[in-house]
Amino acid sequence: MSKQTGYADVNGLRMYYEVHGEGGTPLVLLHGGLFNIDLQFGELLEGLSAGRKVIAADFQGHGYTNDIDRPLGTAELASDVVALLARLDVPRADLFGFSVGGAVALYLAIEYPELVRKAIISSVSFNPSGDREENAEAVGSMKVEMIAGTPMEADYLAKSPHPDHEHLQTLLDKLGSYDRGMSGWSDDDIRGIEAPTLLTFGDSDAVKLEHAVRFHQLRGGDVNGDFVGVPASQLAIFPGTTHFTGLARTPLVLDTVTTFLDA
């Protein structure tokens, strides 16, 4: 599997990215909070890049990308992705975003429709009403000691340009206030997305299942496809899957995602 790596100077960041494979519409991978390219997509990269170019990036303060004096929020991270794609001369792409990355993919599909051919939006609500109540409290009170010994801590200390627990706590604090106070998207915003979407959730996810179904309905789903045809936008619920294990069932995720992209 061919792999190129590099850094792009965008919005004050030195943003790390990787390019795998070649051909087709480029697929951009956008990881979740406290994860990075390897932790989120490592098991999927070989299958996703078979026959297509895949571009993956580490967000601000994650993986090999430095942190800067700027809050973490969807609009800011989306701006970084837009700038990165411009640097890489990618005028149009498919997106696959999980959690925080899913929020970024959704933002780009709404605000930059010319940039997005198809979007896979995983394990994220389109407004706070879809989040389980315990989420905000748990994420908002994250301390370094709570992730001691986990792959997230180990990868941060191994890859970060500032590999110490003080900077890791700063990242946790930023994630704890991520998009705080934002009202989310309206039903009309979701209906108006031009790109076909694949929504994926775990059946024990941080997003309520009724919200996932409502999301799907706003995208034209929940119909009798034998009579009216299968909608371009689709919904997948992965069984036995939580938020942190959202993409862990590699063969199932690969089949779901590549079938959607290739349709």
Side-chain angles (χ1 to χ4, degrees):
M1 180 176 65
S2 65
K3 173 182 171 182
Q4 300 171 289
T5 65
Y7 288 88
D9 293 321
V10 298
N11 298 334
L13 289 174
R14 192 164 181 260
M15 191 173 192
Y16 174 79
Y17 67 90
E18 299 178 357
V19 181
H20 299 256
E22 57 187 14
T25 301
L27 172 64
V28 180
L29 304 183
L30 307 169
H31 64 77
L34 211 55
F35 282 66
N36 56 45
I37 297 169
D38 292 335
L39 287 176
Q40 191 82 78
F41 297 107
E43 297 298 316
L44 294 164
L45 271 167
E46 184 174 359
L48 289 174
S49 61
R52 67 167 55 79
K53 177 186 282 190
V54 173
I55 301 166
D58 284 337
F59 283 136
Q60 172 192 340
H62 291 76
Y64 293 109
T65 300
N66 62 311
D67 200 0
I68 55 175
D69 185 16
R70 182 184 76 168
L72 276 178
T74 299
E76 291 84 0
L77 298 183
S79 174
D80 298 337
V81 174
V82 172
L84 174 65
L85 294 181
R87 291 290 180 91
L88 297 178
D89 195 26
V90 176
R92 190 167 169 83
D94 295 329
L95 307 178
F96 182 3
F98 183 87
S99 188
V100 164
V104 173
L106 179 58
Y107 184 99
L108 293 171
I110 293 171
E111 298 289 356
Y112 294 86
E114 71 285 352
L115 192 64
V116 183
R117 187 187 75 112
K118 291 185 176 183
I120 300 143
I121 298 165
S122 297
S123 293
V124 72
S125 62
F126 66 85
N127 68 46
S129 67
D131 297 327
R132 299 193 188 278
E133 285 73 12
E134 62 270 25
N135 292 7
E137 183 177 343
V139 175
S141 59
M142 286 284 282
K143 300 298 178 190
V144 168
E145 299 76 32
M146 297 165 66
I147 62 167
T150 66
M152 287 88 80
E153 181 201 36
D155 247 42
Y156 184 89
L157 296 176
K159 295 177 178 177
S160 174
H162 20 67
D164 58 69
H165 283 115
E166 183 179 354
H167 282 90
L168 177 54
Q169 185 60 57
T170 298
L171 175 61
L172 291 173
D173 293 342
K174 288 183 177 185
L175 287 169
S177 59
Y178 187 92
D179 276 0
R180 183 176 291 164
M182 303 294 281
S183 59
W185 302 102
S186 70
D187 287 4
D188 285 342
D189 290 327
I190 303 304
R191 286 192 191 96
I193 295 171
E194 296 176 14
T197 52
L198 167 64
L199 309 173
T200 86
F201 301 89
D203 61 354
S204 301
D205 211 322
V207 178
K208 299 173 185 174
L209 284 176
E210 60 261 35
H211 183 82
V213 172
R214 178 61 180 158
F215 205 156
H216 182 49
Q217 290 169 336
L218 292 171
R219 299 298 302 128
D222 193 15
V223 299
N224 190 330
D226 288 323
F227 290 96
V228 301
V230 175
S233 292
Q234 301 169 12
L235 170 66
I237 304 294
F238 297 133
T241 299
T242 70
H243 194 71
F244 276 103
T245 64
L247 302 180
R249 300 187 63 170
T250 303
L252 182 60
V253 174
L254 267 178
D255 179 70
T256 303
V257 167
T258 57
T259 300
F260 169 73
L261 291 173
D262 294 340

